[in-house]
Amino acid sequence: MIDIKNLSREKLKALLLERGYPAYTSQQVFQWVYKNRCEDFERMTNIAQPMRVRLKKDFFCSHPVLLASQQSGDGTRKFLFELSRDTTIETVLIPEGQRNTLCVSTQVGCSRGCRFCVSGTLGLKRNLLPGEIVNQYLAVSDLLVPAKVNNVVCMGIGEPLDNLGNLIETITILQDTQGIGLTPRKICVSTIGITSRLAELNRLAIRFRLSVSLHCADQKKRDWLMPATKKYPLGELLPQLRLFAQKKDMPVTLEYILIDGINCEKEDAFKLVAIARKLSCKINVIPYNQSAYFAYRPPDPGKIRQFQSILKDHGIVCTLRTPRGQDIQAACGQLKAEFNTGHTSHDTRHTQGMEK
């Protein structure tokens, strides 16, 4: 049996036609699953009964099990989902007024080994399938009703471009107007900057916002902090980012985590200015989120202000990212798919399916 949630509407259509279903069946099924949130083929009443029987034999709809959830003092919510036996991932919801941003994971673990990121301590277990990524959106959306998830950011566990094929299929599903219908500006993918995958993306028509984990504008220092970037030098990365912004008509954002004693001195800021000018991009400055796994610390507020002022004084659009979910280990660089039940009084445990 095939999980329908792993297939875009076009791929579902091709598969259904191959198996002798009417051409319009794919659109009907897609609307039932994603617009009506109905995963029971017997309830898809505009599909002929014989077709419903066949669909039930050929396909199924996967869904995750919510094992635990935590709520931060700032309203951020973290969810621990079980995808299959012994496979868990974390998803984070960041509410801000009427805007709800969902940070989804794209892999179980991560192979990239950035020195400051807790997710990298897991190593890579496997890539998530499209349905497993989409299900994070669907599960949290159902918990929020009548509120909605307005934005999806692929910034959870994993390097999204290491799972490029499944990522593209996921985004195609999320953007399909016959289903969820998120616009390209409502989806953001974060990457360390894998140049070969960016070149592949630049040849495709699909559009979304791109965020690059730069964290150092000096190549040698960046290679130490993020060892995997030795394969993707800035001299090769920056042209691909310029091309992405041009082809997709989407400005690229640079993410820059400030770590005391590592990358937050004046010379670091001036090198970052030089890169930002070449790209005409926005920069998100993020004070380091501490964890029990590393001894790094964020700079003191004065040094953060100095760094930000240098960027702004040189005309660079710069936003200081307010840490969210630090008290439940849900902030940038803290995800590891494990929950400390004694950490917060907002922790809840679930053993059967989704609960509000």
Side-chain angles (χ1 to χ4, degrees):
M1 294 179 72
I2 299 170
D3 182 5
I4 275 183
K5 293 180 182 176
N6 284 330
L7 303 171
S8 64
R9 184 161 52 90
E10 286 304 310
K11 287 191 176 180
L12 178 60
K13 180 180 179 180
L15 184 58
L16 290 176
L17 286 173
E18 181 182 298
R19 297 188 176 199
Y21 288 83
Y24 51 79
T25 308
S26 59
Q27 180 170 318
Q28 291 173 319
V29 172
F30 213 80
Q31 289 178 336
W32 277 108
V33 172
Y34 294 110
K35 280 196 171 181
N36 301 329
R37 294 290 202 273
C38 173
E39 300 178 359
D40 182 354
F41 297 114
E42 288 296 332
R43 293 170 55 200
M44 298 180 182
T45 52
N46 62 342
I47 300 175
Q49 179 64 27
M51 292 297 102
R52 280 184 266 165
V53 172
R54 287 187 60 192
L55 285 167
K56 192 172 182 178
K57 291 180 179 179
D58 291 341
F59 300 95
F60 73 100
C61 290
S62 64
H63 57 86
V65 176
L66 178 60
L67 295 179
S69 65
Q70 289 176 298
Q71 183 164 324
S72 166
D74 63 26
T76 299
R77 297 171 68 183
K78 183 169 72 169
F79 305 93
L80 179 67
F81 288 114
E82 182 179 59
L83 305 178
S84 58
R85 189 174 181 180
D86 298 326
T87 300
T88 57
I89 51 92
E90 286 181 341
T91 307
V92 177
L93 178 70
I94 307 167
E96 190 172 359
Q98 298 300 310
R99 174 175 173 169
N100 291 299
T101 297
L102 190 68
C103 178
V104 300
S105 296
T106 55
Q107 294 181 302
V108 181
C110 182
S111 67
R112 293 302 177 168
C114 298
R115 294 182 186 273
F116 55 87
C117 182
V118 175
S119 299
T121 64
L122 289 165
L124 178 63
K125 308 301 181 184
R126 68 172 176 87
N127 288 329
L128 293 186
L129 297 170
E132 292 174 322
I133 306 173
V134 171
N135 270 331
Q136 295 172 63
Y137 171 89
L138 296 175
V140 176
S141 293
D142 290 345
L143 288 174
L144 283 185
V145 173
K148 295 181 179 180
V149 173
N150 311 108
N151 300 277
V152 172
V153 294
C154 299
M155 296 182 181
I157 297 171
E159 162 54 60
L161 298 196
D162 278 338
N163 190 15
L164 185 60
N166 290 336
L167 176 72
I168 296 300
E169 197 75 356
T170 299
I171 294 174
T172 302
I173 293 169
L174 291 173
Q175 291 183 352
D176 196 309
T177 55
Q178 297 300 314
I180 295 167
L182 291 176
T183 64
R185 293 189 179 275
K186 298 297 184 180
I187 299 174
C188 182
V189 173
S190 176
T191 174
I192 63 169
I194 302 172
T195 50
S196 59
R197 300 296 173 84
L198 288 170
E200 188 173 343
L201 278 173
N202 285 332
R203 292 191 290 268
L204 301 176
I206 193 164
R207 297 173 68 238
F208 51 84
R209 291 188 294 120
L210 183 68
S211 179
V212 178
S213 297
L214 192 72
H215 307 319
C216 281
D218 176 86
Q219 185 67 57
K220 186 176 180 180
K221 193 180 291 188
R222 188 170 190 253
D223 290 346
W224 177 85
L225 192 62
M226 306 166 68
T229 62
K230 292 177 183 178
K231 298 179 181 179
Y232 319 114
L234 294 172
E236 295 178 9
L237 174 60
L238 299 185
Q240 291 297 336
L241 299 183
R242 282 195 295 269
L243 187 59
F244 183 95
Q246 174 188 340
K247 281 183 168 288
K248 313 298 183 184
D249 190 27
M250 293 278 191
V252 172
T253 298
L254 299 182
E255 305 284 348
Y256 197 100
I257 292 178
L258 290 173
I259 306 174
D260 192 39
I262 303 292
N263 65 349
C264 57
E265 302 302 324
K266 288 183 178 179
E267 57 266 31
D268 295 307
F270 286 120
K271 288 181 179 180
L272 183 56
V273 166
I275 286 179
R277 281 179 167 172
K278 291 178 182 178
L279 294 177
S280 299
C281 64
K282 172 188 173 183
I283 296 176
N284 282 339
V285 175
I286 310 163
Y288 177 70
N289 297 302
Q290 290 180 261
S291 75
Y293 291 86
F294 307 109
Y296 303 124
R297 301 180 62 86
D300 63 64
K303 186 166 282 190
I304 293 173
R305 287 194 297 270
Q306 174 184 268
F307 193 94
Q308 190 178 20
S309 293
I310 291 173
L311 298 180
K312 289 186 174 181
D313 289 346
H314 286 80
I316 306 301
V317 178
C318 172
T319 300
L320 180 63
R321 178 95 64 83
T322 303
R324 299 291 301 271
Q326 284 184 324
D327 57 327
I328 58 170
Q329 298 294 294
C332 180
Q334 292 184 324
L335 298 183
K336 200 186 176 184
E338 63 181 15
F339 271 49
N340 177 3
T341 56
H343 191 76
T344 171
S345 61
H346 292 93
D347 181 46
T348 57
R349 290 269 155 175
H350 308 285
T351 57
Q352 294 183 351
M354 299 297 303
E355 296 182 20
K356 286 193 178 182

